[in-house]
Amino acid sequence: MALTDSQIERYSRHIILKEVGGKGQQKLLNSKVLIIGAGGLGAPIALYLAAAGIGTIGIADADSVDLSNLQRQVIHFTPDIGKPKVISAKEKIQAINPDVQVRTYQQWVSAANIMELISQYDFVVDGTDNFAAKFLINDACVLAGKPYSHGGILQFVGQTITVLPGESTCYRCIFPTPPPKDAIPTCSQAGVIGVLPGVIGSIQATEAIKFLLGKGKLLAGRMLTYDALEMKFRDVTINRNPNCPICGENPTITQVRDELELLTVCDLEKP
Amino acid sequence: MTTIDLRGVSCPTNFVKAKLALEELETGDRVEILLDDGEAVKNVPRSLKGEGHKLLGLRETAEGHYLLEVEKGEE
């Protein structure tokens, strides 16, 4: 389908780019991306993917907007307090770009629903805030062969890596098992500088767009870390781990499971 | 030869439309692009050249517009 005049104008700064052009923009318009988590990371991811004209955006999050979210979750506004985050996010996405189809999933991802959910998308972006979800997303994407972007933030530091299952380092290649419960404080306990998810989430959205376009060099096999206090980025090459429990030579994980002992997320700890 | 009329279309939309039209062609195909005087004729040929297309000729029309002949380059 040819671009309309208004699409030509909306996406003109993309179309001008040699790496995008009209064909690349059409690819984005025909793409489907699932964002898991409509919080700090999910906010810039959703806003930029919407603006970029990703044709279908899925967002999964069971939570509702809380006053304490607004310091960093820039897709939610003060009048949205109490509203389901996926609804608040959908309203902003549609206000930015009516070209985008939004599918909302007002639920936490779990072993029971994640395989079916990710199967409908070309790329998955992890914008969650807890280890249970991060390991679940990695396992599901590796088992399904679904490329995804991992992102994590705490206090002033963040990290991100792009996982191409079977080709590049996965999250469990680096961290075979989750840390013991309570070993790592959550955002609500330890705090997080509000602009941090803006930096990491924007990088994750960039990776999604590059993957869909098939252009550039992805952050695969390299973990990027960012320290906002020191204002330093580090790019650490990490090879695949032959002993990885899910993508190694003798995988012990062959289906998704919930890390029940880890299900303490920031928002469940609120009094 | 196909003529793409970009008179009255301002920068950078004229370049964007020329680029989109060229995307539909095969390498080696030729088109004529009708451009306004001023910014348009200064920028569009340069941008198309930057994209790897061949500029074959530019001439002023009787009405004071410009007719740019372009051959599509490699994708």
Side-chain angles (χ1 to χ4, degrees), chain B residues 20-65:
Chain B
L20 289 170
L22 282 157
E23 276 186 17
E24 301 304 315
L25 305 177
E26 302 297 326
T27 300
D29 285 354
R30 293 178 180 193
V31 285
E32 279 183 330
I33 302 173
L34 205 47
L35 295 167
D36 287 331
D37 193 5
E39 232 198 325
V41 75
K42 222 178 340 175
N43 290 316
V44 175
R46 190 171 53 194
S47 301
L48 289 172
K49 195 174 175 190
E51 288 272 310
H53 302 299
K54 246 187 245 169
L55 309 184
L56 301 175
L58 181 68
R59 62 181 172 82
E60 197 175 349
T61 66
E63 298 81 34
H65 303 292

Side-chain angles (χ1 to χ4, degrees), chain A residues 126-137:
Chain A
D126 173 5
T128 64
D129 62 354
N130 67 90
F131 287 106
K134 293 192 182 304
F135 280 88
L136 178 70
I137 292 167

Side-chain angles (χ1 to χ4, degrees), chain A:
Chain A
M1 215 180 69
L3 297 167
T4 63
D5 272 358
S6 102
Q7 286 178 320
I8 291 172
E9 193 155 349
R10 176 184 288 271
Y11 305 117
S12 59
R13 301 312 190 264
H14 266 172
I15 296 168
I16 288 171
L17 294 170
K18 208 176 239 156
E19 292 76 4
V20 185
K23 287 178 183 166
Q25 187 61 50
Q26 286 283 10
K27 275 189 199 167
L28 299 182
L29 287 164
N30 292 329
S31 297
K32 300 185 179 77
V33 175
L34 176 67
I35 304 166
I36 304 178
L41 292 168
I45 295 164
L47 293 171
Y48 276 114
L49 293 184
I54 302 300
T56 304
I57 295 178
I59 333 168
D61 198 315
D63 215 356
S64 295
V65 179
D66 182 86
L67 180 57
S68 67
N69 300 151
L70 303 185
Q71 157 261 21
R72 65 195 178 284
Q73 301 182 13
V74 295
I75 201 166
H76 308 303
F77 302 167
T78 303
D80 296 319
I81 291 169
K83 193 182 282 183
K85 286 185 177 178
V86 291
I87 301 299
S88 163
K90 180 183 182 175
E91 289 169 358
K92 308 319 183 312
I93 290 173
Q94 289 180 328
I96 291 173
N97 191 346
D99 284 347
V100 180
Q101 289 278 342
V102 186
R103 298 182 190 158
T104 58
Y105 308 95
Q106 198 185 334
Q107 56 196 53
W108 300 120
V109 291
S110 69
N113 63 20
I114 193 165
M115 298 308 286
E116 159 64 15
L117 208 52
I118 65 173
S119 71
Q120 302 163 45
Y121 293 88
D122 304 311
F123 192 86
V124 174
V125 190
D126 173 5
T128 64
D129 62 354
N130 67 90
F131 287 106
K134 293 192 182 304
F135 280 88
L136 178 70
I137 292 167
N138 182 75
D139 293 354
C141 287
V142 170
L143 291 172
K146 190 72 62 183
Y148 88 99
S149 165
H150 156 88
I153 53 167
L154 195 67
Q155 295 186 332
F156 289 90
V157 297
Q159 63 181 34
T160 174
I161 187 167
T162 300
V163 176
L164 305 172
E167 279 178 55
S168 78
T169 311
C170 88
Y171 191 52
R172 277 198 200 263
C173 288
I174 310 168
F175 307 108
T177 55
K181 183 173 174 278
D182 296 331
I184 310 288
T186 61
C187 290
S188 61
Q189 295 161 340
V192 57
I193 190 82
V195 295
L196 180 59
V199 175
I200 300 296
S202 300
I203 292 171
Q204 292 184 272
T206 312
E207 288 288 285
I209 291 168
K210 280 162 55 194
F211 173 81
L212 297 168
L213 290 172
K215 296 290 177 187
K217 197 172 168 206
L218 291 168
L219 188 60
R222 300 181 287 143
M223 184 170 266
L224 187 70
T225 65
Y226 169 58
D227 183 329
L229 264 190
E230 299 295 323
M231 197 46 76
K232 273 188 179 157
F233 282 95
R234 278 180 71 207
D235 173 349
V236 186
T237 297
I238 307 175
N239 293 326
R240 287 184 71 188
N241 177 359
N243 298 318
C244 174
I246 191 155
C247 79
E249 286 159 12
N250 298 298
T252 52
I253 301 168
T254 52
Q255 56 182 30
V256 286
R257 56 167 191 221
D258 293 312
E259 304 274 359
L260 287 172
E261 69 281 11
L262 285 171
L263 283 179
T264 6
V265 301
C266 291
D267 295 293
L268 295 179
E269 290 164 4
K270 279 194 299 256

Side-chain angles (χ1 to χ4, degrees), chain B residues 5-21:
Chain B
D5 187 356
L6 296 175
R7 287 175 300 174
V9 183
S10 56
C11 295
T13 308
N14 44 18
F15 166 59
V16 171
K17 292 200 164 177
K19 178 171 171 169
L20 289 170

